[in-house]
Amino acid sequence: MKWKQLTAGVIAVTTLVHPGVVMAKENVVQEDRLLVTTINAQKVKAFLDRFFHSEAVKREASAVSVSIVKDGFVLAEEGYGVTDKASGQHVDASDTTFRVGSVSKVFTVIALMQLVDQGKVSLDDNIEKFLDGYKIRNPFGTPVTVEMLLTHSTGFEVRDPTEENVLFDPAKQPITLKESVFSIFPPVIREPGTSYMYDNFATQLVGYIVQEVSGEPFSDYMDKHIFAPLGMASSSFDPSGELSSRLPVTYSADDERLPEYRLSPEVLPEGSMMTTAADMSRFMNAYLNGGKTSDGKAILSSASLQAMSTFHLSIHPEVPDMAYGFEAPAPLSAANGKDVIAKGGSIPGFESYMFMLPNEKTAVFISAATESDLTLRFFEAFMDEFYPGDASFGDPAYKPQKQEQLRRFEGIYRDLRISFMLTSIKASADGVLLVGDTAGEWKTMKQIGELLFVDEEGHPLAFEEDANGRIVYVKYSNPGSYAAKLPEGPRYADVPSDHPYAAYIYGLQSLGVSAGESEGRFGTEELVTREMFIHHLIRQFNLPLSTQTPAFNDVADSSYKEEIQTAAELQLVTGTGNGRFEPHRTITREEAAVIVLRLLQISGYQPKESETELVPGTSQWAEQAVKTLIDLRIHGIEVTKEKSQYNYGSKRALTKQELAAIQYLLMLPEKSLLS
């Protein structure tokens, strides 16, 4: 997959002036004048100083190391900030080490590709060949191959690092790489090769295969066959040496020193690498120079290098997913139409980003002691400064489809990697989709291709269809994963498609949290009891049930006493006085509103001052909650406006269809919770 080339009228010329000073010119006709972009050591240094000396960046990152190479020369190796605020020692690009998180994956894949070059591994191999008899739980007829590990298209269930992988207690001992692989080995839950989901486990398994096939411990292999030949003396996956002592101290947002930690496994193929900016210069120059080391020997074949620089998985020709080891840049539009391969890394205390422009023989590495998106903002700023260009997507002459044709895209999509990340898509007009997320943020999408759209800021959204033309995936909100279109369930006899609550009821059904009744009916007008309301909310958000003795003296015969106790401990409910909860009494709409507001608050939402006016009848203790739900539009059509006042029906009992509206809109709000 190749990035879309710049439009006609762009001529690229590269001229080598002298060592350390490189001029890259692009002549772009813009408003009848010539725009000239240059990159050289002096301008790079000025750009870096301007970016990293800003007070905002200094507050955001206590330590930063960055290197930039072009045409075999180092344009910059700079350190900013201090390794320790107490000592004030400055960051040294040659000496200060940084944890680079998932940037490690590039090097792990290089190790695997070396074994491919040697004929010891084939990209088409079934991975079970390397698992010593272990059989993967795979209900599909398609095996998981080595290449699928590299493109993150295995179909594995999510296996991301947990708190068990970060050890703050020095007395705890890390597990081995082999123990880790087989203790968390995931089942295959999607047909292999058909979807993209950023997969930490896949790269851990790549490292294990390297270890098994080579017969060398993974870290030893990396030191001997990659770092040593490249002259990367300050790089390793093994933190047991002196490199850890050269890490900068990391700090919290309130300037508190963060505790030191180890990883488990301690040598982690997907993320334990430590390195310096100077070492990364050596690697990036070698990579862009045919993989050749200082003595002229190549660490990889030209075919393997080309394979690592080429996108092998893309949801759309203009929206790539994965090369081998590298991924598409984020955001994609920030590449300004250039061919860019990138790799980001995130690990407690550090954020890193490496991006390369192979056609320009340019590469950049940045690592920062921060947990913000600083490195991605740096990528955007660098590209705009030195490689501006056409960031548009699609065909300008494409004729958008009619609204009725676009209805095939409608539905709810669940992110493959982050299950609570949902996307709602609605056909709004000819060639226009409305796309909403779990924060209530809505974007308008303009169609620019059969399966391609862009939002107001120019970011692409792409769909994938199956062999029968059915839409199955979308990629937009999360650059590291597709989102799967959720299937529709059976229809309820009392909820026709034009029912005013149909979207909420069937939306919940797709999300797997439906409160539907048996015998094919939903029971739209049935009243909801206090215990049932709590039951549905606790189940909807999968909150762990309490094992404590009930705080209320009248819930012993309730089928949901554990959920009621959970709600009490979360301070969602306080009872009705005299130690009572009254579980079997129907819940009023204002009581439900108060509980929902408390749920929003413990989730981090802070209610805003409301100017909403209510008709008389809402209890004073419920007014803020009722106004908030009206302001956030977390209700159905039952809420009406009479002149300038809203009628919430506060004293009326809540019905099941109204509960469905609340439940659905808590997951996919129609108004932003962030404003």
Side-chain angles (χ1 to χ4, degrees):
M1 155 61 200
K2 291 292 183 183
W3 283 91
K4 183 170 66 64
Q5 300 299 313
L6 293 177
T7 55
V10 179
I11 304 172
V13 181
T14 302
T15 306
L16 178 63
V17 182
H18 58 75
V21 180
V22 178
M23 308 288 289
K25 296 183 180 180
E26 288 180 337
N27 300 333
V28 184
V29 179
Q30 185 180 38
E31 298 178 356
D32 298 321
R33 62 187 179 84
L34 192 65
L35 176 65
V36 180
T37 302
T38 62
I39 178 170
N40 57 47
Q42 183 179 7
K43 291 194 173 185
V44 164
K45 180 64 164 63
F47 166 76
L48 294 177
D49 287 349
R50 186 169 66 250
F51 188 93
F52 291 110
H53 283 162
S54 75
E55 290 302 317
V57 169
K58 286 193 286 187
R59 286 193 300 270
E60 199 170 343
S62 56
V64 178
S65 199
V66 59
S67 57
I68 301 173
V69 303
K70 181 167 177 62
D71 289 329
F73 299 107
V74 176
L75 296 188
E77 283 175 358
E78 298 289 337
Y80 294 91
V82 295
T83 61
D84 186 341
K85 293 182 180 181
S87 69
Q89 180 178 342
H90 290 285
V91 174
D92 185 327
S94 297
D95 185 73
T96 307
T97 56
F98 283 75
R99 295 185 185 270
V100 298
S102 288
V103 175
S104 308
K105 291 178 171 66
V106 172
F107 295 85
T108 299
V109 170
I110 288 174
L112 187 282
M113 297 303 291
Q114 287 181 334
L115 299 178
V116 171
D117 286 342
Q118 296 165 23
K120 296 178 180 178
V121 176
S122 168
L123 295 178
D124 295 327
D125 281 338
N126 183 331
I127 63 172
E128 288 185 344
K129 176 180 178 180
F130 308 102
L131 301 182
D132 196 26
Y134 182 86
K135 295 298 181 183
I136 300 171
R137 287 173 286 168
N138 181 0
F140 302 93
T142 305
V144 177
T145 66
V146 170
E147 184 183 35
M148 291 172 190
L149 296 177
L150 304 187
T151 57
H152 296 206
S153 59
T154 60
F156 282 151
E157 188 176 70
V158 180
R159 289 294 185 272
D160 274 338
T162 69
E163 59 184 17
E164 297 297 320
N165 298 110
V166 182
L167 305 181
F168 293 101
D169 182 356
K172 280 193 172 183
Q173 292 302 308
I175 62 175
T176 67
L177 176 58
K178 183 174 183 177
E179 287 171 336
S180 176
V181 166
F182 290 103
S183 66
I184 63 172
F185 213 111
V188 176
I189 59 174
R190 298 177 303 281
E191 184 173 358
T194 63
S195 61
Y196 167 58
M197 180 196 78
Y198 187 85
D199 192 346
N200 280 294
F201 177 82
T203 307
Q204 183 174 140
L205 189 53
V206 168
Y208 176 74
I209 292 172
V210 168
Q211 181 171 279
E212 290 299 292
V213 172
S214 69
E216 302 175 47
F218 175 76
S219 183
D220 291 352
Y221 182 95
M222 302 303 289
D223 290 344
K224 180 179 178 181
H225 300 283
I226 297 177
F227 297 139
L230 291 171
M232 298 175 67
S234 292
S235 301
S236 181
F237 276 76
D238 186 354
S240 63
E242 57 89 29
L243 294 185
S244 293
S245 66
R246 290 155 55 184
L247 288 167
V249 174
T250 56
Y251 298 88
S252 67
D254 54 3
D255 219 26
E256 292 293 323
R257 182 172 178 147
L258 295 174
E260 296 180 2
Y261 61 86
R262 292 184 301 162
L263 298 174
S264 179
E266 202 157 26
V267 173
L268 202 59
E270 69 267 39
S272 70
M273 181 178 161
M274 291 181 291
T275 189
T276 64
D279 269 11
M280 290 301 290
S281 293
R282 296 180 181 94
F283 164 70
M284 294 186 297
N285 266 331
Y287 187 93
L288 294 173
N289 187 36
K292 294 178 182 177
T293 62
S294 58
D295 62 3
K297 295 180 180 178
I299 61 169
L300 276 183
S301 69
S302 58
S304 287
L305 278 171
Q306 182 60 38
M308 288 188 66
S309 301
T310 302
F311 289 107
H312 300 275
L313 186 69
S314 302
I315 194 169
H316 184 277
E318 294 191 55
V319 185
D321 303 317
M322 286 296 296
Y324 296 161
F326 290 97
E327 60 206 15
L332 191 56
S333 57
N336 294 335
K338 304 294 191 296
D339 288 328
V340 177
I341 54 176
K343 188 71 202 77
S346 179
I347 197 167
F350 297 91
E351 293 288 332
S352 303
Y353 205 59
M354 175 172 61
F355 56 96
M356 297 189 181
L357 293 84
N359 294 342
E360 309 288 345
K361 298 293 184 183
T362 301
V364 180
F365 166 77
I366 175 177
S367 191
T370 183
E371 293 188 346
S372 71
D373 64 351
L374 173 66
T375 57
L376 297 183
R377 300 202 313 272
F378 173 82
F379 164 61
E380 293 188 69
F382 178 89
M383 292 299 296
D384 287 343
E385 181 80 10
F386 297 110
Y387 292 100
D390 180 10
S392 63
F393 298 87
D395 179 4
Y398 180 81
K399 185 178 179 180
Q401 296 172 341
K402 298 293 185 183
Q403 181 178 6
E404 192 59 36
Q405 294 173 289
L406 297 183
R407 294 204 186 281
R408 73 188 188 117
F409 299 116
E410 289 189 329
I412 301 171
Y413 297 74
R414 187 189 296 278
D415 191 270
L416 297 181
R417 187 171 180 228
I418 307 171
S419 61
F420 60 80
M421 183 180 286
L422 303 172
T423 301
S424 175
I425 296 181
K426 304 174 183 178
S428 175
D430 292 353
V432 178
L433 296 178
L434 289 180
V435 177
D437 60 22
T438 48
E441 291 283 293
W442 287 85
K443 301 282 189 179
T444 300
M445 300 287 170
K446 177 184 176 182
Q447 190 172 26
I448 53 172
E450 184 177 356
L451 299 171
L452 187 63
F453 296 73
V454 291
D455 65 18
E456 302 98 319
E457 298 172 339
H459 301 308
L461 174 150
F463 292 94
E464 181 177 301
E465 57 185 4
D466 64 15
N468 298 314
R470 293 187 296 258
I471 299 300
V472 288
Y473 295 114
V474 68
K475 185 182 182 186
Y476 174 62
S477 300
N478 181 3
S481 180
Y482 295 170
K485 188 175 184 181
L486 299 181
E488 296 181 356
R491 303 284 95 176
Y492 296 115
D494 56 343
V495 188
S497 58
D498 60 351
H499 191 282
Y501 292 85
Y504 308 129
I505 292 169
Y506 291 124
L508 284 181
Q509 186 185 61
S510 292
L511 290 167
V513 293
S514 173
E517 296 300 318
S518 58
E519 300 180 358
R521 299 184 63 81
F522 184 80
T524 55
E525 298 288 349
E526 292 179 15
L527 302 184
V528 178
T529 63
R530 289 166 57 80
E531 65 176 1
M532 286 299 297
F533 183 77
I534 293 300
H535 163 67
H536 286 301
L537 286 188
I538 296 296
R539 186 179 67 169
Q540 175 180 356
F541 294 103
N542 198 29
L543 299 176
L545 297 185
S546 172
T547 58
Q548 301 298 313
T549 302
F552 303 112
N553 57 31
D554 61 345
V555 299
D557 64 340
S558 171
S559 300
Y560 309 115
K561 54 181 176 291
E562 291 87 359
E563 284 137 312
I564 294 169
Q565 179 60 24
T566 299
E569 291 173 14
L570 291 172
Q571 297 185 328
L572 295 179
V573 296
T574 57
T576 58
N578 298 320
R580 295 173 57 79
F581 179 73
E582 301 181 57
H584 307 303
R585 175 170 64 79
T586 55
I587 191 168
T588 64
R589 289 176 50 77
E590 65 179 8
E591 287 176 319
V594 169
I595 294 171
V596 170
L597 177 57
R598 289 171 181 165
L599 180 64
L600 290 172
Q601 287 175 304
I602 66 173
S603 301
Y605 175 77
Q606 297 299 320
K608 315 296 189 298
E609 185 174 347
S610 177
E611 297 181 358
T612 294
E613 295 183 25
L614 303 175
V615 300
T618 298
S619 300
Q620 185 176 359
W621 50 264
E623 282 188 0
Q624 182 187 39
V626 168
K627 289 180 179 180
T628 297
L629 266 59
I630 291 173
D631 292 341
L632 295 176
R633 295 203 287 269
I634 301 180
H635 58 75
I637 64 163
E638 74 280 358
V639 176
T640 59
K641 190 174 184 181
E642 303 169 7
K643 295 183 179 179
S644 62
Q645 296 180 320
Y646 284 88
N647 186 348
Y648 190 76
S650 295
K651 301 292 188 182
R652 185 169 53 76
L654 185 73
T655 65
K656 285 189 64 178
Q657 63 187 11
E658 294 163 2
L659 170 58
I662 290 172
Q663 286 188 272
Y664 178 85
L665 293 168
L666 281 173
M667 301 182 80
L668 282 164
E670 293 182 352
K671 183 176 180 181
S672 175
L673 301 177
L674 306 176
S675 60

